[in-house]
Amino acid sequence: MKTLVIVSHPEYDNSMTESFLNQCQNDIDSVDFLVLDHLTDNYQFNVEQEQQRLIKYDRILFQFPMYWYSSPALLKKYEDDVFTRRFTYANEDGKLKGKELGIITTIGEPLRNYTVGGSEGFSINELLKPYQALAFKAGMNFIKPFTVDQFAYMTNAQKSKLLVDYRNYLTNDDINSFSSKQRWYFEQLEELKEQLSPEKQTKLAVIIDYLKNNYDQLDEIKWELDLIKKEEDE
Amino acid sequence: MKTLVIVSHPEYDNSMTESFLNQCQNDIDSVDFLVLDHLTDNYQFNVEQEQQRLIKYDRILFQFPMYWYSSPALLKKYEDDVFTRRFTYANEDGKLKGKELGIITTIGEPLRNYTVGGSEGFSINELLKPYQALAFKAGMNFIKPFTVDQFAYMTNAQKSKLLVDYRNYLTNDDINSFSSKQRWYFEQLEELKEQLSPEKQTKLAVIIDYLKNNYDQLDEIKWELDLIKKEEDE
């Protein structure tokens, strides 16, 4: 499975969050990163070239900081220009049919404020309807959104979790089933670590780091987890 | 009440719909039209100048053709640039607090397709949530959206109705109560017309045209309607 992350962030080069997310994935061969703010400086795109790019991927992800409850304008321009009617509509040429569309959005407020009665008043799910509608029209599968809230306040442990979850979102071909297992597994490892002698703690920390930085290894974790689950079921 | 219509349409000068809507209002002193595509050709705005513009109006309307279930990118850029946090947030400087925000959107598909199970899959109300959230954050009153569907297929009678409804949306300080009355009144007049002799038909057509083209006169219709209603109530 090949994944394209299309990033739009007017302050991309100064964003700690974007820098972190970029580092999370830059070792993965099956993932390509396209930063629109580096692609153009005048809001113009090469439509033909971009369409040729899009059709090469199985999962297309829009990644952006929430600006007025939507993407920054540049990603909208990309949508307006590149997702032409004939190319996109499932009932016309439908070149994106069967692919996946997902949204990675970073927010400054805590996620819990995105609710009726909260300071933002609306849920992320409600606010992303226009993207869901785009996926619907294109015959794409809209996968559940990935929200990063308050990155600036994250502890190292939270950042480690984010790294695992983010890599999972980019590469796991069955996101819903794997993500929670993965998180659970790392939580167990972290908990275990605190019960060990300092020497063994260091050793386990290295192992955890290694696992988190190698997606192939994460596949093995999945396999081990499935094995444990199997034994439990029997 | 002063109204600002902020229009975004990449093909503004070639749009029959936009041309019609512009003609519908250009005699009204209390309405100003701002076509973003005429204001800039490089996606840059003078933020200070635009903020000074916005605070002069009571009702701010975004008018655009639906592009991927949202506005064209240029209006999004205007939002991103001009609606700065401090200027906009109700709990900061809140310069827009108490004003109205409304959306006028033109769509090529019939409105009835914007529904679960329809070809568009989502309702206009769902798709406009990001604007509703903006209004919420700014402490603005979000008025009900105004949708023009399939302008190209409209009969003259439908266009006359559109004209009346549109003027009403731009200028009536109590949209919900007046619009239906107004529409009803013109429907009655059009019905009446068909029962008259050709000579009288022509005369009534002129009167209807005159009424439709003079908003002061529409105010008088409202007054007459209220009078009729009063007499009925007594």
Side-chain angles (χ1 to χ4, degrees), chain A residues 99-153:
Chain A
K99 299 181 188 293
E100 291 177 318
L101 179 67
I103 308 292
I104 298 154
T105 183
T106 56
I107 54 179
E109 295 281 323
L111 185 55
R112 63 174 179 277
N113 291 4
Y114 282 78
T115 172
V116 61
S119 65
E120 308 309 308
F122 297 85
S123 70
I124 298 288
N125 283 2
E126 284 177 294
L127 297 169
L128 297 183
K129 290 288 176 197
Y131 301 101
Q132 195 180 351
L134 163 60
F136 177 75
K137 197 72 183 178
M140 301 174 83
N141 298 315
F142 193 63
I143 61 177
K144 68 175 184 181
F146 186 91
T147 306
V148 183
D149 67 333
Q150 300 203 295
F151 177 80
Y153 300 107

Side-chain angles (χ1 to χ4, degrees), chain A residues 42-44 67-74 76-80 83-85 88-89 109 117-122 126-134 136-138, chain B residues 42-44 67-74 76-80 83-85 88-89 109 117-122 126-134 136-138:
Chain A
N42 62 0
Y43 282 75
Q44 302 303 312
Y67 273 31
W68 285 124
Y69 307 108
S70 184
S71 80
L74 187 60
K76 188 58 182 33
K77 185 63 163 43
Y78 189 88
E79 286 181 65
D80 293 353
F83 289 71
T84 58
R85 181 188 172 116
T88 309
Y89 279 28
E109 295 281 323
S119 65
E120 308 309 308
F122 297 85
E126 284 177 294
L127 297 169
L128 297 183
K129 290 288 176 197
Y131 301 101
Q132 195 180 351
L134 163 60
F136 177 75
K137 197 72 183 178
Chain B
N42 63 359
Y43 281 76
Q44 301 304 311
Y67 273 31
W68 286 124
Y69 308 107
S70 183
S71 80
L74 188 58
K76 188 58 181 36
K77 187 63 162 46
Y78 188 88
E79 285 180 68
D80 293 352
F83 289 71
T84 58
R85 180 188 171 116
T88 310
Y89 278 29
E109 294 282 322
S119 65
E120 308 308 307
F122 297 85
E126 284 177 294
L127 298 169
L128 297 183
K129 289 288 177 198
Y131 301 103
Q132 194 180 351
L134 163 59
F136 177 74
K137 198 71 182 178

Side-chain angles (χ1 to χ4, degrees), chain A residues 201-220:
Chain A
Q201 272 197 15
T202 311
K203 197 176 169 190
L204 187 52
V206 171
I207 294 172
I208 292 174
D209 252 7
Y210 181 76
L211 289 173
K212 284 180 179 168
N213 285 297
N214 292 276
Y215 189 71
D216 290 345
Q217 303 296 329
L218 290 183
D219 264 335
E220 287 178 22

